Amino acid sequence: MTLIRNLLLVLALLMPGAGMAQSQDPETLRPLVNDLAKGKFAETEKQIGVLAATGNPDVVPALEALSGGDLFVRKSDAQVFIGDRDGKIYRLIDPLTLQSAGEAGRREVSKIRVNNSLRRVIRSALGSLTLMAADPKVRLDAANAIFKAEDPDAIPALDTALLAESDARVRKAMERARAAAVLNSDLPEPEILSAISTLENMGNRDALSLLIGFQAKAKGAALQVTETAITRIEKTLAAWDAAQNVWYGLSLGSVLLLAAIGLAITFGVMGVINMAHGEMVMIGAYVTFVVQELIRTSAPGLFDYSLFIALPLAFLASGLVGVGIERGIIRWLYGRPLETLLATWGVSLILQQAVRSIFGPTNREVGNPDWMSGAFELGQMTITYNRMWILLFALLVFAGLMLVLKKTPFGLYTRAVTQNRRMAASMGIRTPWIDALTFGLGSGIAGIAGVALSQIDNVSPNLGQSYIIDSFMVVVFGGVGNLWGTLVGAMTLGVVNKFLEPYAGAVLAKILLLVFIILFIQKRPRGLFALKGRAVDA
């Protein structure tokens, strides 16, 4: 029976225009669909092959309903319908036109029974109909479904579809599907060896899983070739896993860079240990939330531009709060690091409670614009668009900040105060205002970091607390006040952390990093890149 069915499927696909045939009059196909209700399983199996031989996609809903146990025959006239149960009645749907066909009581219809063997036949029939569909996406989905099913009954349909396939991507998917099916068949050894080669060239985890499963029953040359293929795929995947960890590390590093770059400025210029820096990040995230809420209610068409609108607003909001903190609290505590630490910690608690009172203690939803949603494959790596854009954004912020510090009068004054505060003051630079503006700049950058972090993390009053310790680690490791050190430190710690996590776990990996930084600072107290200057050297 299997041979007869496969011959019917092949003949159907070889017919001129098969699979891409124009829809026929439903009344022509109706008797064939009605015949599904006649006879026992063997006759039903034969009739499924007849329907597949029509090459007409209009029969697909009927076959899918049959597989799902939703196909019924009305006892009064032996007509077949798709049934949707609603209490004690069935809502009937025409299996060819998909139009409503009225209702029927439970005793007026009888379910067409199927078993697992018939479901396999139906799957093959559906594959034969969709593998030759006009839409390449339908053909691709059909090939992927066969690959997952590893159904040897689909091999004849795949062979015929491959002869007619012109789309390179779909053709490759069909070849892989055929290879998976061949490993689950009793075809001759040359076919098996060819399938193993195809899966080896595929080289991903799905192929590895198939080959490992086949290895248990392989014999002779097939076993040797399978073992070789498995070894090569494992080496390839190990290399791609390392590359994926590097990408994850760079992604984490970009987040650390955004969170730490503002702290590098304030800590480097003023030597202030600002425990409220994380709350500047939190303010930026909540500004993004407010902007998106206003856009959702007032101008939904602008949602994809919400982040561009939120960026300057977050910078201004966090920057103004930072200037207020510096002018109102920190400037009275210069030279008293312990009091400064305690004061800014108190400010962080006040800001957290203020946000809880305004927005509530629960997480707030910040959506991803379309251009930041989804992912793409690079070899065996998966790269999400939101992480990719955040990495680029972090580098852009870094470049912009370097430009400000190197090419503007404000940057010149800031560098002068950083290197020798008393000499800068004696040259007429108003160091208190430089302190305020620098603190505002660092806080503003933390605010735009919050905009980026809102796309990958929960927006809550505790958002900033997740990054404050890591930010200080990055700044100290890279070199206090040195932006290049912050960049290198963030990326290094990010990559090392991601390589440690698989072996030590996320928590222990951070502990190991902290221990490493403590030991490193014992050897290089000024970090990777120490600042130069008389005051600094003193």
Side-chain angles (χ1 to χ4, degrees):
M1 184 59 68
T2 301
L3 178 59
I4 294 174
R5 179 207 323 144
N6 289 339
L7 288 174
L8 284 171
L9 296 180
V10 174
L11 289 173
L13 293 170
L14 287 174
M15 290 170 60
M20 300 181 188
Q22 299 296 322
S23 295
Q24 302 170 8
D25 182 357
E27 299 308 317
T28 305
L29 296 171
R30 195 172 305 280
L32 302 180
V33 174
N34 290 338
D35 284 346
L36 289 171
K38 297 179 179 179
K40 297 183 179 180
F41 290 145
E43 287 75 14
T44 304
E45 180 176 343
K46 182 177 180 181
Q47 194 57 31
I48 292 169
V50 172
L51 285 172
T54 65
N56 194 317
D58 289 345
V59 303
V60 169
L63 293 176
E64 289 178 338
L66 178 62
S67 178
D70 296 323
L71 203 64
F72 296 81
V73 57
R74 190 163 55 191
K75 297 177 181 178
S76 61
D77 56 6
Q79 295 292 307
V80 170
F81 298 94
I82 299 173
D84 182 15
R85 185 172 179 177
D86 185 7
K88 294 183 178 181
I89 64 170
Y90 285 95
R91 301 186 186 279
L92 303 181
I93 301 171
D94 190 301
L96 296 173
T97 65
L98 300 182
Q99 299 296 316
S100 175
E103 299 176 350
R106 294 173 60 183
R107 295 185 178 182
E108 298 176 39
V109 295
S110 177
K111 179 184 289 189
I112 302 175
R113 294 183 303 143
V114 293
N115 56 19
N116 289 335
S117 177
L118 277 181
R119 288 189 178 94
R120 287 193 292 270
V121 175
I122 293 169
R123 187 164 59 243
S124 298
L126 290 173
S128 72
L129 289 167
T130 54
L131 284 171
M132 295 293 288
D135 187 350
K137 185 178 184 304
V138 175
R139 303 198 302 273
L140 181 63
D141 290 343
N144 289 335
I146 294 173
F147 177 82
K148 293 177 181 178
E150 306 171 37
D151 187 2
D153 293 337
I155 293 174
L158 283 166
D159 288 338
T160 307
L162 281 167
L163 293 175
E165 186 55 61
S166 58
D167 188 297
R169 184 183 176 196
V170 177
R171 184 177 183 82
K172 183 175 290 187
M174 288 182 178
E175 290 173 348
R176 293 171 176 176
R178 187 185 188 281
V182 166
L183 292 189
N184 202 29
S185 71
D186 54 0
L187 289 177
E189 188 175 80
E191 289 275 9
I192 299 292
L193 296 178
S194 176
I196 295 171
S197 177
T198 299
L199 292 174
E200 181 183 350
N201 292 333
M202 185 179 175
N204 61 14
R205 298 189 188 282
D206 289 335
L208 180 62
S209 177
L210 286 172
L211 289 173
I212 290 175
F214 175 72
Q215 184 181 22
K217 59 182 179 182
K219 298 178 180 179
L223 177 60
Q224 184 178 358
V225 173
T226 301
E227 292 173 346
T228 302
I230 289 173
T231 302
R232 289 177 180 173
I233 292 177
E234 287 176 341
K235 289 181 179 179
T236 301
L237 289 178
W240 280 112
D241 285 344
Q244 184 77 71
N245 278 335
V246 171
W247 165 250
Y248 287 151
L250 293 176
S251 176
L252 175 61
S254 67
V255 172
L256 295 177
L257 176 63
L258 282 173
I261 194 170
L263 188 65
I265 300 172
T266 56
F267 194 21
V269 172
M270 295 175 287
V272 173
I273 303 175
N274 178 21
M275 296 301 293
H277 182 77
E279 279 54 54
M280 303 300 106
V281 176
M282 175 196 68
I283 290 173
Y286 273 97
V287 168
T288 308
F289 165 72
V290 171
V291 168
Q292 288 197 351
E293 286 298 300
L294 291 174
I295 288 177
R296 283 192 181 102
T297 56
S298 304
L302 295 178
F303 187 81
D304 280 347
Y305 305 96
S306 59
L307 298 187
F308 297 104
I309 299 171
L311 281 172
L313 295 178
F315 180 85
L316 289 174
S318 298
L320 289 174
V321 172
V323 171
I325 292 173
E326 197 281 333
R327 288 287 85 191
I329 299 174
I330 293 178
R331 69 169 175 154
W332 308 106
L333 300 175
Y334 284 129
R336 297 155 66 184
L338 181 59
E339 286 88 339
T340 304
L341 185 150
L342 292 174
T344 54
W345 181 55
V347 170
S348 74
L349 296 178
I350 293 171
L351 291 174
Q352 288 180 45
Q353 190 56 47
V355 167
R356 286 191 182 93
S357 300
I358 298 171
F359 297 101
T362 57
N363 295 340
R364 291 295 181 172
E365 178 186 0
V366 175
N368 286 349
D370 288 342
W371 51 275
M372 286 192 74
S373 302
F376 65 93
E377 300 289 332
L378 180 63
Q380 301 301 320
M381 292 171 54
T382 300
I383 298 178
T384 57
Y385 285 111
N386 57 357
R387 293 279 183 175
M388 181 187 73
W389 286 117
I390 287 174
L391 174 59
L392 295 176
F393 176 69
L395 295 176
L396 184 63
V397 170
F398 176 82
L401 189 57
M402 289 295 294
L403 191 65
V404 168
L405 293 179
K406 296 293 185 182
K407 300 297 182 181
T408 66
F410 170 72
L412 178 62
Y413 298 157
T414 300
R415 286 184 285 124
V417 173
T418 302
Q419 293 177 16
N420 195 318
R421 176 179 294 272
R422 285 179 294 178
M423 181 63 74
S426 67
M427 297 296 293
I429 297 175
R430 300 177 64 183
T431 55
W433 280 106
I434 293 297
D435 289 340
L437 293 176
T438 302
F439 202 92
L441 176 63
S443 299
I445 291 174
I448 62 176
V451 177
L453 294 179
S454 70
Q455 300 298 297
I456 59 173
D457 207 339
N458 295 322
V459 177
S460 70
N462 298 320
L463 173 65
Q465 296 300 305
S466 305
Y467 297 98
I468 185 66
I469 302 301
D470 290 337
S471 297
F472 275 110
M473 288 172 58
V474 168
V475 171
V476 172
F477 177 63
V480 175
N482 192 304
L483 293 185
W484 284 108
T486 303
L487 173 64
V488 175
M491 295 304 173
T492 301
L493 293 181
V495 172
V496 171
N497 187 73
K498 286 302 177 181
F499 272 96
L500 286 176
E501 278 185 4
Y503 306 101
V507 176
L508 184 56
K510 285 195 174 185
I511 294 174
L512 292 174
L513 278 179
L514 179 60
V515 172
F516 164 74
I517 290 174
I518 292 173
L519 296 176
F520 178 81
I521 295 302
Q522 297 298 315
K523 295 293 183 181
R524 293 181 65 91
R526 297 178 186 171
L528 284 173
F529 301 92
L531 283 175
K532 301 295 182 180
R534 294 179 181 178
V536 173
D537 293 336

